Amino acid sequence: MVGPVPVVVSVKLTLVLKAQANGRIQVDVQKDVSGTVQVGTEYSKATGWESDADADGTTLPGGRAEVSGQGELRTMLGPEANVGLYDTVGVTAFFGPYLRATAQYSEQLPGTTVQGSGEWQLHGGLTLESSLYVQLPFVIIGNRPSKQINFPPVTREWFITKGRLPAGT
């Protein structure tokens, strides 16, 4: 009770696991050849139109093939709290400690030798995500009108360790 007014506050607590991943892989191949290509048609009164295609070529020594990639994985586990007044207006907050791993790798295959290099890093951090919501206390055609305003997340991150990925063979 706040004075003569009854106040109902509902509190919900949920444990949330979030996983986010993204990455990119790139393949670049270069090989040189020498030769000629001829494409055309010939006409003869006896046979009509006939295609005429001729290609000769030789592969030149050298060339290269390169594969590279990078990726990131983030996992968070933490509580999400929802505090509302009469379940019509309230605040939702998620507090999540997380681990973030990043990796990059590049491998070049010139001729017969294989060279690869890569590195990884591990970071830990804390994030706070919050929002304010307003819901009407009645239902219109099966829907309860609502509005949610998300606040910018607050994040603090620390470097933990790093290392090198083994070279390819």
Side-chain angles (χ1 to χ4, degrees):
M1 299 289 285
V2 175
V5 180
V7 176
V8 176
V9 176
S10 60
V11 177
K12 299 176 188 173
L13 183 62
T14 309
L15 188 61
V16 178
L17 172 64
K18 293 184 179 184
Q20 299 169 321
N22 62 23
R24 182 183 79 202
I25 188 164
Q26 179 177 338
V27 178
D28 186 13
V29 178
Q30 175 185 339
K31 191 68 176 171
D32 294 328
V33 295
S34 173
T36 60
V37 175
Q38 176 182 347
V39 178
T41 60
E42 287 183 355
Y43 178 77
S44 148
K45 190 173 185 179
T47 60
W49 288 99
E50 292 181 356
S51 62
D52 180 21
D54 183 40
D56 67 345
T58 57
T59 302
L60 300 176
R64 66 178 177 80
E66 184 176 339
V67 178
S68 63
Q70 63 184 27
E72 177 176 308
L73 173 66
R74 179 188 302 224
T75 59
M76 289 186 257
L77 177 65
E80 181 177 82
N82 183 341
V83 179
L85 178 61
Y86 286 108
D87 204 25
T88 58
V89 64
V91 176
T92 301
F94 169 74
F95 177 73
Y98 67 87
L99 284 175
R100 181 175 67 91
T102 61
Q104 312 183 27
Y105 189 77
S106 178
E107 187 166 319
Q108 196 169 24
L109 309 159
T112 59
T113 61
V114 178
Q115 302 166 345
S117 65
E119 59 184 37
W120 58 269
Q121 292 186 353
L122 184 63
H123 299 264
L126 300 170
T127 188
L128 175 64
E129 300 171 3
S130 57
S131 62
L132 174 68
Y133 69 89
V134 177
Q135 299 182 78
L136 294 179
F138 51 85
V139 176
I140 300 175
I141 310 174
N143 292 323
R144 188 173 180 187
S146 65
K147 177 72 176 170
Q148 182 169 335
I149 301 169
N150 294 323
F151 299 113
V154 177
T155 301
R156 177 73 170 121
E157 185 173 276
W158 300 272
F159 171 77
I160 297 174
T161 188
K162 67 179 180 177
R164 302 214 40 88
L165 296 171
T169 56

